[in-house]
Amino acid sequence: MKKYEPQHEEILSAGIDIGTSTTKLVISKFSLMNMAGGMHMPRIEIINKEVLHRSPIYRTPLLSQATIDMEAVDELVKKEYANAGISPNDIQTGAVIITGETATKQNAQEMVHHLSDHAGEFLVATAGPDLEGIIAAKGSGAYEYSKKTGKVIANIDIGGGTANAAVYKSGKLCGTCTLHIGGRLIEFTGNQIKSISPPIKQLFRQWGSPYSEITSGDIRNRYEIKRLTDFMAAVIARMLKRDLLAADQPLLLGHEPNWHEDIDEIMFSGGISECLYQYETRTPVKYDDIGEMLAASLRENRELSEWKWITPDETVRATVLGAGTQTTEISGATIHVEEKDLPLRNLPVFQVPFGHELKKGLNRMREAVKQALDMFDPQGEGQNFALYITELPYLGFRDVQELAAMILEAIKVKPNPLQPLVIVLESDHAKVLGQTIKVQNQEQSIICIDQIRVEHGDYIDIGHLLQTGVVPVVIKTLTFHH
């Protein structure tokens, strides 16, 4: 049997956050260790995370209102790697995320893939608004606080373009919501309005005169702008109470608040939270936008003051720290992977619950693969996906053989059946199932991992095999099913 040596390993992770207003980077070190005793099956876990390097807060480089300056971002990342004394080859995991309004830029996708190719062995995430809120709640300390206290806590991460709320209870995600609320939705040059974002223009049209007449070139200190930031604060309060009005709709991005619990306490992170708490003393920022005014409106809002406000661990860096330190999990030593096929990125997950009955599950398998193809590869272009097999009963040797045969039979309908077969298991059967499939079909490439908790509709990235015989996995929850 292969010995898993060494039993202790360190890997480097990078987090890069390209936001509406700011771009930042962190480098972290993870210590991995076998937590199982001598004769037990190895169980490798991340036992320590240490932030080695934090970049300054940079203004996000743009070529135009619609385009990110990819070369400038590239230079900025190279410079920070040099300052940290590392090369891209040293990076084994982490996430690049494009957040807020920047995610709507024409070349956002291209930027993320470009960076993931050049900045190290990245596992990559473009944050949809849901994911952005989740990552920020982990970086701000809200997630840990909910775990420690058992309370329902909402983290509201407000940047330049969006306010991303994620609600946690006892470390479990209850739901998310995103609003078009942020500091840069109106920008100024000197004493004049420089730009007004489309959601705000729509709101002003809805409000009618004199708001509908506000335009670029108008004077900066109009009382109407303070009324706007007061309205934004009130919308956040209504969102937290799951009580948005029809008049609030221009500011809603995506789905309504989808948690069912009443919120006990709240935490603010993001650039607007920096206006509230001023953590970043070494880089005083001059805001040519409504950020400071919005922070004042939050402070003054009566409904928001009804909740206890918890001070965050991080303000403007919450998302980048979440991306660099919280997105990676480890799939353990009971896995079967073929290294030539790694890393794999952006695989959607399709759940196949067995209901603790082997026959029932086997009967479902063909239909499950067909449904996954309809959902993720309707054009038959060969988009791969992961089968997440849950609620397995106890499996004897014959049962594993039967399961392997059924999986191989079911995937014959895939346009490219010999692409890597990716299976995620809830239980520790990955190694035996992977090896059994390989015996039954030598040609089939198999990635079979376990000890990872995902959900139907998540996306996963699987990194290179590490010395400890484990793989880093990034789980990207982009949508929620309630």
Side-chain angles (χ1 to χ4, degrees):
M1 186 180 159
K2 183 185 167 194
K3 273 178 81 182
Y4 290 91
E5 295 289 351
Q7 293 294 285
H8 183 272
E9 185 174 3
E10 288 180 339
I11 62 172
L12 290 186
S13 166
I16 302 173
D17 173 16
I18 304 166
T20 308
S21 312
T22 59
T23 291
K24 47 258 174 214
L25 177 149
V26 295
I27 309 286
S28 311
K29 180 170 73 180
F30 294 174
S31 300
L32 308 183
M33 198 164 180
N34 181 13
M35 302 304 286
M39 300 305 288
H40 294 95
M41 184 64 76
R43 194 178 81 249
I44 311 292
E45 290 181 11
I46 297 171
I47 54 159
N48 192 35
K49 298 171 183 178
E50 178 193 349
V51 175
L52 301 180
H53 177 75
R54 299 164 174 242
S55 76
I57 310 286
Y58 290 101
R59 265 282 156 98
T60 296
L62 298 175
L63 288 173
S64 70
Q65 287 288 82
T67 319
I68 303 162
D69 186 339
M70 286 177 38
E71 276 182 28
V73 173
D74 229 2
E75 283 309 309
L76 187 153
V77 171
K78 278 184 196 147
K79 181 174 129 189
E80 287 306 317
Y81 275 22
N83 291 345
I86 61 152
S87 87
N89 300 338
D90 300 327
I91 298 293
Q92 284 132 308
T93 185
V96 184
I97 55 174
I98 292 198
T99 56
E101 299 271 291
T102 320
T104 64
K105 304 290 182 228
Q106 288 165 0
N107 59 345
Q109 284 290 92
E110 195 189 339
M111 176 79 251
V112 155
H113 293 300
H114 173 79
L115 264 185
S116 69
D117 291 341
H118 292 81
E121 255 327 321
F122 259 94
L123 303 175
V124 120
T126 42
D130 285 340
L131 181 65
E132 189 183 337
I134 290 164
I135 290 176
K138 289 184 171 176
S140 71
Y143 163 76
E144 275 300 326
Y145 181 85
S146 81
K147 243 165 82 169
K148 204 168 64 194
T149 61
K151 290 183 171 168
V152 180
I153 180 154
N155 189 72
I156 307 103
D157 188 78
I158 314 177
T162 54
N164 303 81
V167 177
Y168 277 92
K169 180 183 183 179
S170 308
K172 203 165 166 32
L173 182 70
C174 304
T176 58
C177 186
T178 300
L179 301 166
H180 286 292
I181 290 179
R184 295 191 71 123
L185 296 182
I186 296 185
E187 292 184 83
F188 306 116
T189 302
N191 203 29
Q192 290 182 319
I193 294 172
K194 177 182 158 192
S195 66
I196 303 171
S197 78
I200 303 306
K201 283 181 181 167
Q202 189 189 336
L203 191 69
F204 281 172
R205 280 196 298 275
Q206 192 172 290
W207 287 358
S209 184
Y211 296 92
S212 49
E213 278 98 58
I214 297 174
T215 183
S216 304
D218 283 0
I219 57 160
R220 173 182 186 142
N221 53 356
R222 295 183 59 141
Y223 79 92
E224 290 96 341
I225 293 175
K226 181 68 167 88
R227 190 200 149 191
L228 170 70
T229 60
D230 287 346
F231 177 74
M232 286 174 164
V235 172
I236 288 172
R238 287 195 284 275
M239 179 263 297
L240 293 172
K241 290 177 176 168
R242 308 186 303 284
D243 199 15
L244 288 173
L245 308 173
D248 304 336
Q249 290 305 308
L251 297 188
L252 182 65
L253 197 171
H255 61 76
E256 296 266 344
N258 58 2
W259 55 90
H260 305 292
E261 299 76 3
D262 289 338
I263 289 160
D264 298 319
E265 297 176 2
I266 61 178
M267 188 182 280
F268 287 98
S269 62
I272 301 304
S273 160
E274 177 55 29
C275 297
L276 293 169
Y277 296 107
Q278 272 111 33
Y279 284 9
E280 298 289 330
T281 47
R282 64 188 180 141
T283 47
V285 182
K286 185 176 180 301
Y287 296 95
D288 274 327
D289 55 35
I290 57 172
E292 296 278 7
M293 217 183 283
L294 177 54
S297 293
L298 294 172
R299 260 193 230 102
E300 293 157 12
N301 183 276
R302 208 179 68 242
E303 280 78 23
L304 289 173
S305 69
E306 289 169 14
W307 284 287
K308 183 180 176 189
W309 290 29
I310 307 301
T311 309
D313 295 342
E314 295 288 339
T315 55
V316 67
R317 294 175 192 267
T319 311
V320 73
L321 276 156
T325 63
Q326 299 288 343
T327 51
T328 299
E329 295 195 26
I330 294 296
S331 183
T334 55
I335 61 175
H336 177 98
V337 298
E338 300 188 27
E339 204 164 355
K340 66 178 174 24
D341 293 319
L342 295 175
L344 287 170
R345 297 197 176 111
N346 289 326
L347 283 180
V349 171
F350 191 89
Q351 186 171 5
V352 190
F354 269 54
H356 306 288
E357 286 179 41
L358 185 64
K359 285 278 176 281
K360 190 192 281 184
L362 291 175
N363 291 338
R364 267 188 197 154
M365 191 58 74
R366 270 197 195 88
E367 188 51 37
V369 172
K370 282 194 188 116
Q371 285 176 350
L373 284 170
D374 287 346
M375 191 179 289
F376 304 126
D377 193 19
Q379 309 302 318
E381 293 163 336
Q383 159 68 52
N384 205 356
F385 53 85
L387 287 171
Y388 177 40
I389 300 175
T390 61
E391 297 173 2
L392 277 171
Y394 170 78
L395 295 180
F397 179 62
R398 285 267 159 76
D399 300 330
V400 174
Q401 287 184 309
E402 214 178 328
L403 175 58
M406 178 50 84
I407 290 169
L408 284 168
E409 183 60 37
I411 63 167
K412 283 180 179 169
V413 296
K414 289 174 78 175
N416 178 6
L418 287 181
Q419 71 188 163
L421 165 59
V422 184
I423 298 172
V424 182
L425 295 173
E426 208 176 22
S427 50
D428 293 350
H429 293 98
K431 197 178 198 78
V432 64
L433 180 60
Q435 288 172 340
T436 307
I437 294 172
K438 196 70 184 171
V439 168
Q440 292 184 10
N441 183 351
Q442 289 292 318
E443 303 294 297
Q444 182 64 57
S445 168
I446 305 142
I447 309 287
C448 202
I449 63 173
D450 55 24
Q451 297 178 27
I452 292 288
R453 286 183 59 189
V454 286
E455 286 187 32
H456 188 64
D458 286 354
Y459 284 68
I460 58 170
D461 295 337
I462 305 169
H464 280 300
L465 191 66
L466 303 176
Q467 292 172 320
T468 18
V470 297
V471 288
V473 179
V474 170
I475 297 156
K476 300 179 287 194
T477 306
L478 302 177
T479 52
F480 299 99
H481 307 266
H482 283 282

